[in-house]
Amino acid sequence: MRSVSESERLRIPVNIDLDDRATARSQPVSFGVPLPQGARPESGRLVHADGVSVSVQLEPLSCWPDGSVRWVLVDVILPSGYPAGMSTLELVAGGEIDSSERTSRQGEGKRVSVSESGEQFVVETGAARFQIDRKVLQPLGQVRLNDVDVLASAGCRLVVTDSSGQKFEAECDGWRVEAKGPVCATLVGKGHFPQLKDLRATVRMSFFAGSGLVRLDVAAHNPNRARHPGGLWDLGDDGSLLFRDLSIELNFAKGASTKEVRFIAESDKTSSMVNETGWSLYQDSSGGENWNSVNHVNREGTVNTTFQGYRIDSGTEELTGLRAEPIVEVATKHGCAAFVVPKFWQQFPKAISVPGDEVRIGLFPREYEDLYELQGGERKTHSIWVRFDSDDLKLEELSWVHRPASIRPTAEWCDSTECLPDLQLDESRQLADLDALLTESVEGEKGVLAQRERVDEYGWRNYGDIFADHEEAYYEGPQSLVSHYNNQYDMVHGFLLQYLRTGKKSWLKLGDDLARHVVDIDIYHTTQDKAAYNGGLFWLTDHYVHAHTATHRTYSRHNNPESGMYGGGPGAEHDFTSGLLLHYFLTGNPDSKTAVQQLADWVIAMDDGQRTIFGVVDDSYTGLATGSDIYQGPNRGGGFSINSLLDAWMLTYRDEYLDAAERLIRRCVHPCDDIDENDLLNVESRWSYTVFLTSVAKYLDLKSQSGQLDRMYAYAQASLLHYVKWMLERELPYFDQIEKLEYPTEAWAVQEFRKANVLRLAAAHAGGDLRCSLLQRGEEFSDRAWNDLLRFETRTNARSLAIMMMEGMTDCRLRGDVVQAAPKAEASLYTDFGEPEQFVSQKQRVKSQLKQPAGIAKAVASTLNPIRWRRYWRLKSGES
């Protein structure tokens, strides 16, 4: 492993990509950079090819096992003047400025400072002064330019209007400083609305050196559980929260009345000016061809979008258009304020209006012809950029908000740090074939972007998710299918890795949009339901049927069969964290970090027998994290659970995550397993054992990286080799056993790559003839997978794309004899692993106990023990 000294000056090549409509615009940019082991930089500069440099702010995001910085977040105020397109800069981390580096004058010398007292926070940027009252959940607070108040003392409010038309402001639960540095500072406030089922709100504000610019992220969250009767999760559930409007209302200071309103409605249009009050812009639908798609049904099954696109009412005339990307400036006697809402049309409905001396930003605007429904455990985050200035602004200076610059470390740098083992850089025929396939899957006539338009996968709840077009293969419904993929097989991870490898901003956009959707909509944000569901990730919507009113929550009453054997909720078989972890590393988004830990905590909680009613009788592990009541061998549920725990361990190095991962490995595999008893050749039921083995290989890599070549390392290594030896003897390509496949689709061809990759990953732990056999058989499975996949016209659908972004790239990386040998533990640790013990789930243990008189007596004694009941209710109340 490459390492550097603590004092070594790092020179990191980074690529910047600027949209041609946002060139010559100064803007703040955040981006993550991986570092080799040993680095501990505290300061740095971004250097242009001509030697001009600008200061950056560095914040560690994660560490190597030795405590050195593994990923660092870079905040920089990008000076204007960079050319459009992609160019290369250099991030210099640590050390002093070279004499060859000249300092940019744009913003240099100005810093952000944050001071606090018992009453307020004061943020000074060098261009503006912001005062935030600690006792009020008030976005922006008081704003001063040149010692003059721009806003009234209570000039910016977050207001909710309920279904009867009553307005409420949140009760503040407190503010805190989340980040503080010379370039950027962030404050976070939390509050709740007791009048609306305790609706919660979070306001995150970021301030930037030398600027009156503020980024606001406002999240609305229904913390209540859904009731989901019968395991069905439709809109209209009793746990949902209905409201009419959620807006930010901003009032200017007394005497600073509105002089004029200027706006740009779309990025390719020129600015317009109106002097009349009462100006408004409202986006009712996506503006696309299928703007009134059944994708947008409400709890009653109706679609309430009323027209295509947006309308502008300027007081004297009405203008219309399709897809607004507005920039709005309000000029007053005391200064100017400009407002930009990114993803404005994509996350409709949205509104901006200027009624008199007030500005209203409708995040959930009342102009929409329906109430809004936040389902139980559902959250939505909106972003707004506001800029205050003493002088009139050129609206074009904020055009970058709709098309921000992206900066990324080069793929070669990432590869050299060994932080991203999944990257494949070496050019090959297979990599060229993969690139062609992925490009067609995204940009082709039936690619994800075209399919997004086809079903109108837009709107505040849908945007970012991927239409599951592969479900059309056996769909027989009367209307166009609506089916949501909910990050199945971790498309976030695939998108972001392709972005790092290729530098194409479109990959970043797909990954970023999907990650933000997942952390808000797809995760069940409640602690009031059962432990098996709280904080979990919802499945993709059900196979080959219309989603109806289940939105992104899998099971709808409309699909309930006559037998009634239907329904469920979040489960271990759908738990994807690696993409969210990479999203946090690349963007610094704290919600993605929280989501990784939340999903790992969910794994631990769902397996905790004390958190179920059965725990009064038997408080050992439930088995829900690794399988079903009747099967606890290697499978995708256990594999995804282990992967989530490893991601959380890599993020925090908390022993509880590693201990839990090791417990699950021991539960599901053993070096002496009778593998045939697991019925792994039953492809429909057991195909996913390769997912589990992939997680075991990841576990071994991380343990080796941290120097923990212990007994558990030897156990997992021996187990992995035991299983791949069986694969060499018994496994066949799926399409050589087509009679076993219920639906012989392209999915089996792409899943074939998992076999190929597991064999070659395991070769790192083998030697001699076994290593050669594993590598050779892996390539044979890979070649067969490519041949089978390319026969299908559906090879570019969402499911194929999801798997190929990861497994296809891993296949390219592992081709040839390139797998490096993994270390071995001491020889004595590989002996006497004992005999395999079959794990029995909690539910089955209790059932068995109640079949015996002695077991019944013991159960009765347990249920009469008040300590057990107090513990159970304490855990339940702690969850709520």
Side-chain angles (χ1 to χ4, degrees):
M1 177 182 293
R2 179 192 173 190
S3 62
V4 299
S5 66
E6 184 173 341
S7 60
E8 185 175 339
R9 194 174 198 225
L10 300 173
R11 308 189 76 92
I12 303 166
V14 297
N15 290 330
I16 178 173
D17 193 348
L18 275 169
D19 187 272
D20 59 0
R21 284 170 285 187
T23 58
R25 314 296 184 206
S26 177
Q27 58 182 286
V29 181
S30 295
F31 62 100
V33 174
L35 301 178
Q37 189 165 340
R40 289 180 169 86
E42 296 181 356
S43 62
R45 302 189 70 79
L46 194 63
V47 185
H48 192 267
D50 62 6
V52 175
S53 69
V54 61
S55 297
V56 302
Q57 177 177 312
L58 303 180
E59 178 188 349
L61 297 176
S62 75
C63 296
W64 290 95
D66 65 357
S68 59
V69 179
R70 185 174 193 151
W71 280 87
V72 64
L73 181 68
V74 182
D75 279 296
V76 61
I77 308 297
L78 196 68
S80 61
Y82 289 128
M86 187 178 295
S87 57
T88 301
L89 308 176
E90 188 174 60
L91 174 65
V92 180
E96 300 295 327
I97 302 176
D98 286 346
S99 58
S100 61
E101 295 171 6
R102 294 180 289 113
T103 301
S104 168
R105 294 183 179 180
Q106 297 184 37
E108 286 292 327
K110 294 183 179 180
R111 302 166 63 91
V112 178
S113 67
V114 180
S115 59
E116 57 183 296
S117 65
E119 300 295 323
Q120 64 179 6
F121 291 96
V122 177
V123 180
E124 300 270 7
T125 69
R129 186 174 191 264
F130 301 87
Q131 295 175 218
I132 296 92
D133 190 331
R134 303 183 73 136
K135 299 178 181 179
V136 181
L137 191 68
Q138 184 179 349
L140 294 174
Q142 199 173 50
V143 182
R144 294 177 65 86
L145 298 171
N146 297 328
D147 293 326
V148 176
D149 289 337
V150 178
L151 300 184
S153 58
C156 189
R157 306 179 302 154
L158 180 64
V159 180
V160 169
T161 305
D162 70 9
S163 57
S164 66
Q166 284 190 285
K167 285 188 173 184
F168 301 99
E169 295 184 50
E171 294 185 8
C172 185
D173 297 327
W175 287 88
R176 63 182 175 87
V177 178
E178 184 177 75
K180 181 166 61 174
V183 173
C184 177
T186 301
L187 273 62
V188 177
K190 293 182 178 292
H192 66 284
F193 297 85
Q195 307 90 341
L196 283 86
K197 291 188 176 181
D198 217 30
L199 172 69
R200 295 179 185 172
T202 301
V203 177
R204 177 175 281 109
M205 297 191 294
S206 296
F207 307 89
F208 304 94
S211 174
L213 187 68
V214 186
R215 173 173 173 151
L216 293 174
D217 293 295
V218 179
H221 169 213
N222 178 2
N224 302 289
R225 59 162 291 187
R227 308 317 297 182
H228 51 84
L232 306 177
W233 297 79
D234 293 272
L235 293 170
D237 185 279
D238 288 343
S240 291
L241 191 157
L242 300 175
F243 57 98
R244 171 62 63 190
D245 181 272
L246 173 62
S247 295
I248 292 176
E249 296 180 355
L250 184 146
N251 291 95
F252 294 104
K254 187 176 181 180
S257 58
T258 301
K259 293 193 300 182
E260 62 185 30
V261 177
R262 295 196 304 131
F263 67 92
I264 295 176
E266 298 180 39
S267 295
D268 57 352
K269 294 187 177 181
T270 58
S271 62
S272 301
M273 182 179 72
V274 294
N275 293 316
E276 299 88 347
T277 59
W279 180 92
S280 65
L281 185 156
Y282 168 60
Q283 181 91 35
D284 186 72
S285 65
S286 73
E289 182 178 344
N290 299 303
W291 59 272
N292 57 350
S293 165
V294 293
N295 198 10
H296 308 304
V297 294
N298 68 359
R299 60 204 171 278
E300 298 167 350
T302 61
V303 176
N304 286 323
T305 51
T306 55
F307 63 91
Q308 184 180 9
Y310 68 88
R311 290 175 180 165
I312 296 175
D313 185 348
S314 63
T316 58
E317 63 177 337
E318 185 176 277
L319 306 174
T320 62
L322 296 179
R323 293 180 162 175
E325 293 181 325
I327 306 170
V328 180
E329 180 197 19
V330 180
T332 77
K333 295 178 181 179
H334 293 174
C336 298
F339 306 88
V340 192
V341 180
K343 315 295 183 186
F344 189 88
W345 65 264
Q346 293 93 330
Q347 300 193 75
F348 73 87
K350 287 288 178 290
I352 300 180
S353 60
V354 188
D357 294 334
E358 176 183 290
V359 175
R360 181 177 67 90
I361 301 173
L363 305 178
F364 290 100
R366 55 180 172 263
E367 288 89 340
Y368 190 60
E369 292 291 329
D370 195 10
L371 298 176
Y372 297 97
E373 177 176 355
L374 270 182
Q375 298 172 100
E378 192 170 40
R379 188 179 74 187
K380 179 60 186 179
T381 304
H382 305 269
S383 296
I384 310 100
W385 289 84
V386 186
R387 179 173 163 181
F388 297 94
D389 205 295
S390 301
D391 301 316
D392 288 348
L393 295 167
K394 292 182 178 179
L395 295 188
E396 293 80 2
E397 292 181 2
L398 289 173
S399 62
W400 58 265
V401 174
H402 293 299
R403 290 169 179 78
S406 68
I407 301 180
R408 69 173 180 97
T410 64
E412 291 74 19
W413 170 264
C414 293
D415 186 55
S416 73
T417 66
E418 302 186 28
C419 290
L420 291 161
D422 294 319
L423 276 181
Q424 164 62 18
L425 303 183
D426 295 336
E427 295 297 329
S428 64
R429 179 184 63 80
Q430 287 77 18
L431 191 59
D433 290 344
L434 178 64
D435 276 335
L437 178 69
L438 297 185
T439 298
E440 185 182 5
S441 300
V442 173
E443 302 173 5
E445 291 183 1
K446 296 183 179 180
V448 296
L449 297 178
Q451 299 287 30
R452 173 177 285 176
E453 292 289 339
R454 192 177 137 223
V455 299
D456 208 57
E457 193 77 333
Y458 296 109
W460 67 266
R461 179 180 279 126
N462 298 325
Y463 182 65
D465 205 350
I466 302 299
F467 170 51
D469 60 330
H470 52 278
E471 302 294 349
E472 292 182 308
Y474 295 93
Y475 172 63
E476 298 177 349
Q479 57 188 353
S480 297
L481 176 70
V482 170
S483 184
H484 307 290
Y485 210 30
N486 285 23
N487 198 34
Q488 181 74 7
Y489 300 126
D490 209 344
M491 295 188 84
V492 173
H493 199 197
F495 287 143
L496 295 180
L497 280 174
Q498 297 307 320
Y499 164 65
L500 283 173
R501 186 175 69 82
T502 67
K504 292 176 65 175
K505 195 187 291 187
S506 56
W507 289 116
L508 174 62
K509 185 175 182 296
L510 285 166
D512 183 59
D513 290 340
L514 179 54
R516 294 175 188 276
H517 168 88
V518 169
V519 299
D520 272 349
I521 305 299
D522 293 345
I523 294 179
Y524 189 31
H525 296 284
T526 188
T527 58
Q528 300 176 14
D529 212 325
K530 57 184 180 180
Y533 291 172
N534 287 338
L537 187 65
F538 285 102
W539 288 73
L540 70 160
T541 48
D542 209 2
H543 288 306
Y544 311 128
V545 295
H546 198 283
H548 292 286
T549 53
T551 68
H552 300 262
R553 293 194 164 186
T554 313
Y555 297 105
S556 171
R557 64 177 181 271
H558 299 278
N559 299 321
N560 199 11
E562 293 182 2
S563 66
M565 301 297 291
Y566 188 69
E573 292 86 354
H574 190 85
D575 186 8
F576 305 102
T577 55
S578 296
L580 297 177
L581 182 63
L582 184 56
H583 185 254
Y584 169 61
F585 288 157
L586 290 177
T587 67
N589 187 327
D591 291 335
S592 291
K593 176 185 179 181
T594 299
V596 172
Q597 289 185 250
Q598 179 176 324
L599 290 171
D601 291 340
W602 170 50
V603 170
I604 294 173
M606 80 168 81
D607 209 43
D608 184 354
Q610 300 180 65
R611 294 175 180 267
T612 75
I613 191 66
F614 294 111
V616 178
V617 176
D618 180 323
D619 58 7
S620 190
Y621 299 111
T622 67
L624 293 174
T626 47
S628 65
D629 290 338
I630 60 175
Y631 179 72
Q632 288 285 330
N635 64 86
R636 62 175 169 170
F640 293 147
S641 290
I642 291 167
N643 185 74
S644 296
L645 293 164
L646 293 175
D647 284 340
W649 180 61
M650 187 163 52
L651 182 61
T652 66
Y653 287 107
R654 283 166 45 184
D655 290 341
E656 64 183 285
Y657 294 126
L658 182 62
D659 293 344
E662 292 180 339
R663 182 175 70 248
L664 301 189
I665 292 173
R666 290 192 300 271
R667 177 186 300 175
C668 296
V669 293
H670 188 281
C672 301
D673 274 340
D674 183 344
I675 298 177
D676 287 332
E677 288 188 354
N678 284 329
D679 195 24
L680 299 188
L681 296 180
N682 182 346
V683 296
E684 286 286 352
S685 299
R686 300 285 184 260
W687 66 267
S688 66
Y689 77 88
T690 52
V691 174
F692 187 95
L693 297 182
T694 300
S695 291
V696 173
K698 178 174 177 174
Y699 163 80
L700 291 168
D701 286 346
L702 293 176
K703 286 277 282 191
S704 171
Q705 196 177 89
S706 63
Q708 298 186 37
L709 304 182
D710 53 16
R711 173 77 168 175
M712 188 59 212
Y713 178 88
Y715 178 99
Q717 194 174 57
S719 297
L720 178 62
L721 290 176
H722 180 54
Y723 273 80
V724 295
K725 289 176 185 177
W726 175 88
M727 291 177 68
L728 286 176
E729 297 175 0
R730 304 296 302 278
E731 266 294 4
L732 296 172
Y734 290 121
F735 284 102
D736 281 358
Q737 39 191 330
I738 195 170
E739 70 281 356
K740 296 181 179 181
L741 306 179
E742 182 179 4
Y743 299 109
T745 67
E746 80 296 323
W748 294 107
V750 292
Q751 295 291 10
E752 198 82 74
F753 284 101
R754 294 190 189 275
K755 294 179 193 172
N757 293 336
V758 163
L759 291 169
R760 290 174 290 184
L761 289 170
H765 303 275
D769 291 343
L770 177 58
R771 174 186 169 90
C772 293
S773 296
L774 291 170
L775 292 174
Q776 178 181 342
R777 189 63 173 145
E779 296 226 2
E780 290 172 359
F781 273 114
S782 170
D783 290 340
R784 178 59 184 274
W786 274 111
N787 289 335
D788 287 338
L789 176 61
L790 295 178
R791 290 191 292 108
F792 285 91
E793 292 184 3
T794 53
R795 62 185 175 274
T796 61
N797 64 29
R799 179 169 53 195
S800 178
L801 172 64
I803 299 171
M804 289 303 293
M805 284 191 295
M806 292 300 304
E807 298 300 326
M809 187 165 64
T810 301
D811 167 57
C812 294
R813 178 169 61 86
L814 296 177
R815 280 188 167 268
D817 191 6
V818 298
V819 179
Q820 295 184 358
K824 294 279 189 179
E826 293 181 9
S828 61
L829 298 178
Y830 290 91
T831 61
D832 193 22
F833 289 119
E835 293 297 316
E837 294 184 8
Q838 182 66 41
F839 176 84
V840 179
S841 70
Q842 182 190 49
K843 186 180 292 186
Q844 291 298 317
R845 292 194 305 269
V846 172
K847 285 182 178 179
S848 297
Q849 182 177 340
L850 297 179
K851 291 179 180 179
Q852 304 295 329
I856 294 174
K858 184 179 178 182
V860 171
S862 295
T863 58
L864 293 176
N865 185 341
I867 294 177
R868 286 179 173 265
W869 282 106
R870 281 199 298 268
R871 181 186 64 193
Y872 171 71
W873 289 112
R874 174 177 53 81
L875 289 169
K876 286 292 291 182
S877 62
E879 291 168 8
S880 61

